[in-house]
Amino acid sequence: MPVASISNALTIDVEDYFQVSAFAPHIARSEWNTRECRVERNINCVLQMLADHDTKATFFTLGWIAERYPELVRLIVAQGHELASHGYGHERVTDQSEEAFFTDIHLAKIILEDLSGMAVQGYRAPSFSIGSANLWAFDCLARAGYRYSSSVYPIRHDHYGMPDSPRFAYEVRPGLIEIPITTLRVLKRNLPSSGGGYFRLLPYVVSRWMLGRVNASDRESGVFYFHPWEIDTEQPRIAGISSKTRFRHYLNIDRMEGRLNRLLSDFDWGRMDQVFLDKLTLSDAAA
Ligand SMILES: [Zn+2]
């Protein structure tokens, strides 16, 4: 059951269903403009859910989405949530050069700050694609003026993961904190315990138990994430995808809203900056 004194960070990766990395081989970037957009409707549902629970969250938003839905960005901020960056065009860091990556994260930060009038401090890489092969990404994030990243998943997975990296927040560069996606340590393995497809796959009580263990045993705050398309049972189905991709994308979407409502009731939630940044002291170099 919840540990009363520990808040967890609730995060939403603001992108549309046709932008997920697993669909990239099937939907060209140039087609994005021709697809039916569902993100505005879905984010409005998320905002209502958060208001019902009197909960604030962090929205890692794509620059591509923000440009097309400026009112949505302003609404997120007006309702007291934290606006953060998911980069501009949802390209995995592993598919970009250092220079292209810097351009992407810098552009997204400028767009989001211009629209909101607020400083954007946080960044999350598409598909948690910062790992041992591209640690230069942290140098880029520090140079672009970000204060924290939530881009590393310390697990083994076919698309991402850095299983030997720290499980909890640490200063990865002077002035830049990495806040990894939450795992539970069981029998020398890190189990994914923070949302996405695993949350839809596992029975809710298992997810609740895992996050509860992180709070009670590790005495640490968790990071939970989901996408607006994960609550959208009416999103257009993408044809021609593999059975594995179909399973991962559509599994239990009809149960997601109910599970999120339970999760919001069962734990104490807040924004990334409030849950983590206020607790940590940055090095003198960045002070
Ligand atoms: Zn994403």
Side-chain angles (χ1 to χ4, degrees), residues 13 15 86 90 126-127 227:
D13 292 356
E15 65 198 42
H86 197 29
H90 210 259
S127 302
H227 304 89

Side-chain angles (χ1 to χ4, degrees), residues 126-151:
S127 302
F128 312 113
S129 54
I130 296 182
S132 49
N134 55 16
L135 296 176
W136 45 256
F138 290 126
D139 301 310
C140 294
L141 288 165
R143 185 153 62 98
Y146 288 96
R147 285 191 67 209
Y148 76 88
S149 156
S150 181
S151 302

Side-chain angles (χ1 to χ4, degrees), residues 152-169:
V152 172
Y153 211 154
I155 58 165
R156 291 183 203 286
H157 184 281
D158 55 349
H159 290 164
Y160 48 73
M162 192 157 56
D164 299 326
S165 60
R167 290 174 53 226
F168 298 109

Side-chain angles (χ1 to χ4, degrees), residues 184-200:
L184 178 65
R185 188 83 177 157
V186 176
L187 300 175
K188 298 184 180 175
R189 284 180 70 95
N190 294 343
L191 304 182
S193 313
S194 42
Y198 294 105
F199 184 71
R200 285 183 285 116

Side-chain angles (χ1 to χ4, degrees), residues 36 110 123 125 135 236 285:
E36 177 195 348
I110 289 171
Y123 170 77
L135 296 176

